[in-house]
Amino acid sequence: APLAINIKTEDATFRLHNLHDKGGTLVVEGSFITEVHVVARVGGRKNKLCLASFWASEFNEYNTGFNMINGSCGGGHFFLGTGASKRCEE
């Protein structure tokens, strides 16, 4: 089945407490995944389009959320949060 994935990252610099140096901090320069978008054909011969997007901006302070993923499958729209799943066609 055809599949396409697009990932957006953002650079970030932040400080962590340095456990090896009391009172010191460790500067980390890295990146975070902020969005993931997926397009796929599903349903065997039905060949229906499935779209899904993950949004890190929907996270709360516990890195969970109610609408972290939204999309459509065969024309039906959906929203997924922590622990949810979606079956699309077969």
Side-chain angles (χ1 to χ4, degrees), residues 20-77:
H20 302 291
D21 179 15
K22 292 184 179 183
T25 57
L26 176 66
V27 176
V28 178
E29 295 184 19
S31 60
F32 292 95
I33 294 175
T34 56
E35 297 176 21
V36 177
H37 306 280
V38 178
V39 179
R41 289 284 178 183
V42 298
R45 291 186 195 162
K46 294 178 185 177
N47 199 30
K48 293 191 176 184
L49 189 61
C50 179
L51 309 171
S53 294
F54 162 84
W55 306 92
S57 61
E58 292 293 325
F59 280 1
N60 59 27
E61 64 272 15
Y62 303 107
N63 287 331
T64 62
F66 293 106
N67 295 319
M68 296 182 306
I69 299 173
N70 69 324
S72 65
C73 181
H77 298 282

